[in-house]
Amino acid sequence: MNPLISIITPVYNSSPYLRVCIQSVLRQTWQDFELILVDDGSLDESKCICKKMCSTDHRIRFISQEHKGVSAARNAALEIAAGEYLFFLDSDDAIHPCLLETMYSVLHKTNAAMAAVEYHFIKAGDRPEHSDKSTSFSYFDDYIYLDNQTSINLFVQGHTNVLYGTGGIMVRSIEARSLRFDERMLNGEDTKFVYQMLLKGANVAILNKKWYYYRRYEGNSCKKRTINACRSMYYCERYIRDNELKQHRLLNAIAREQILMTRICEWYIAGRQSHDVVLCRYLRKISARECSTKTFYQTRLRDKTAFFITLHCLPLYWMYRILCRSYNDRRPIL
């Protein structure tokens, strides 16, 4: 008998895309799964869709709760998940018919704790089209295996994007048994969860297939730049940086500090463009805090320069960008 895969899907106001998401699961070549739909107090027809789909297939399980956030919804599913493997799927996304079977095969072969897959980005109104309809899979060409330390280094230094969210991630249940999503966070909770898996020693297999169909639209939580969203993402970045320091991985901590500085600048520019005075005030406050950290002083001079002038004189930052670009264009090619 094949191992059971528990598919965890939080649902909130995703009625335009929910049926497509569920149908992509029901069409999987791997049929030994349970799909756990957790409605997080949706205000649209999502709850009704979940109930209707649940009545058509015994493998679909449904939980309804008051609106508590995506982390609470995922945690509710983790409490009842019976699978040997967990797969995370967002309710506005979809997956290739062969994805579950392929990810299980790779995890089984490599004995990795976690598998990830590349994203194929689709627009809001698009239906997923499987550009790669082949069911064949070459273990030598179609995935890469990363040991734990390599995974941590690539993740922390920002060299891989497929591990920053849990969408399209499969993990062994036993490896995630003690972990839960941070319900205090509005954004970045999935990045923290993956990082905690790596801290526990997870090795990773990454499929070289764009088999996770990630839907981009204006309502995506990753696009939100409210003060609460930025506060959550700032906490996540500091959590990663500080833990790398605790693990005596100074180069990783410095690399994460540089990423954090860049993101604070991006958030600040977005706040200025949207005339969000409260957000800009908050970002200037945390920028002062960053300037006193050990890792900040060990970042590159150009990063510190861009950071200072962005937060204190944005017009000067644009001039600085133009000068840097002009300088790079004039440098001789060796």
Side-chain angles (χ1 to χ4, degrees):
M1 186 174 180
N2 290 326
L4 183 69
I5 298 175
S6 295
I7 304 166
I8 294 176
T9 302
V11 178
Y12 182 69
N13 292 349
S14 53
S15 58
Y17 320 109
L18 186 53
R19 286 188 179 87
V20 173
C21 174
I22 295 172
Q23 288 166 359
S24 75
V25 173
L26 298 179
R27 291 170 181 159
Q28 290 296 299
T29 57
W30 185 273
Q31 290 290 298
D32 296 297
F33 64 80
E34 61 173 0
L35 172 59
I36 306 176
L37 302 171
V38 185
D39 181 69
D40 186 42
S42 294
L43 302 176
D44 63 1
E45 297 299 314
S46 295
K47 186 174 181 178
C48 294
I49 295 172
C50 288
K51 287 182 176 180
K52 183 175 181 179
M53 298 299 292
C54 187
S55 67
T56 64
D57 195 304
H58 70 278
R59 296 171 299 179
I60 302 177
R61 305 174 66 183
F62 175 59
I63 303 175
S64 181
Q65 64 181 30
E66 63 182 36
H67 185 50
K68 298 179 182 179
V70 66
S71 291
R74 291 193 183 112
N75 288 340
L78 286 172
E79 293 293 334
I80 67 168
E84 186 177 337
Y85 296 85
L86 306 172
F87 180 79
F88 296 96
L89 171 63
D90 291 340
S91 59
D92 45 3
D93 299 333
I95 53 178
H96 187 281
C98 302
L99 181 57
L100 294 184
E101 181 176 4
T102 304
M103 294 189 100
Y104 165 75
S105 298
V106 171
L107 285 177
H108 181 71
K109 182 177 180 64
T110 62
N111 201 34
M114 178 163 45
V117 65
E118 294 184 26
Y119 288 173
H120 178 76
F121 295 101
I122 59 177
K123 296 179 181 179
D126 292 350
R127 294 185 66 87
E129 293 186 4
H130 310 309
S131 56
D132 183 357
K133 295 182 174 63
S134 172
T135 58
S136 62
F137 189 80
S138 168
Y139 288 106
F140 298 99
D141 300 326
D142 290 340
Y143 82 92
I144 57 174
Y145 171 81
L146 305 172
D147 61 42
N148 176 248
Q149 190 57 62
T150 302
S151 301
I152 289 175
N153 292 342
L154 291 175
F155 175 91
V156 173
Q157 295 173 21
H159 297 314
T160 176
N161 293 326
V162 296
L163 296 176
Y164 279 0
T166 50
I169 296 284
M170 183 180 289
V171 302
R172 296 179 184 270
S173 297
I174 193 170
E175 303 288 345
R177 185 170 295 166
S178 62
L179 295 179
R180 290 296 183 268
F181 289 86
D182 192 333
E183 297 184 18
R184 299 168 297 176
M185 301 175 65
L186 296 179
N187 293 79
E189 77 293 329
D190 44 359
T191 301
K192 181 182 177 184
F193 183 90
V194 172
Y195 179 64
Q196 288 177 315
M197 286 283 298
L198 296 175
L199 283 181
K200 284 169 59 67
N203 46 355
V204 180
I206 299 178
L207 273 63
N208 295 323
K209 297 281 191 179
K210 293 186 177 182
W211 281 0
Y212 186 91
Y213 304 106
Y214 182 94
R215 199 177 300 276
R216 280 178 164 170
Y217 58 99
E218 289 302 316
N220 278 83
S221 61
C222 64
K223 293 181 178 294
K224 295 178 181 177
R225 291 295 177 264
T226 64
I227 185 172
N228 288 331
C230 290
R231 185 179 285 117
S232 289
M233 290 184 284
Y234 176 60
Y235 165 76
C236 180
E237 295 297 336
R238 283 175 58 91
Y239 177 85
I240 295 171
R241 182 202 62 197
D242 293 347
N243 271 281
E244 289 303 291
L245 281 175
K246 290 178 183 177
Q247 299 296 323
H248 307 292
R249 294 189 284 257
L250 180 59
L251 292 179
N252 278 357
I254 294 171
R256 205 65 195 184
E257 180 70 36
Q258 290 176 184
I259 292 172
L260 175 55
M261 292 162 60
T262 299
R263 291 187 175 173
I264 290 175
C265 290
E266 291 173 350
W267 302 338
Y268 183 78
I269 292 171
R272 285 288 298 269
Q273 291 174 341
S274 62
H275 307 288
D276 192 333
V277 177
V278 176
L279 174 60
C280 290
R281 188 183 300 122
Y282 166 73
L283 293 171
R284 283 194 294 268
K285 179 181 178 180
I286 64 173
S287 70
R289 183 188 304 169
E290 285 307 303
C291 292
S292 64
T293 62
K294 172 184 177 181
T295 48
F296 179 85
Y297 283 100
Q298 298 186 64
T299 58
R300 296 171 298 197
L301 176 61
R302 66 186 185 190
D303 292 323
K304 288 194 285 282
T305 302
F307 187 76
F308 276 117
I309 62 177
T310 301
L311 274 296
H312 298 286
C313 185
L314 191 56
L316 184 59
Y317 166 75
W318 297 120
M319 294 177 61
Y320 175 77
R321 284 278 301 272
I322 294 172
L323 289 173
C324 288
R325 189 179 299 115
S326 176
Y327 171 76
N328 290 331
D329 290 344
R330 293 180 181 180
R331 291 180 64 183
I333 300 176
L334 300 178

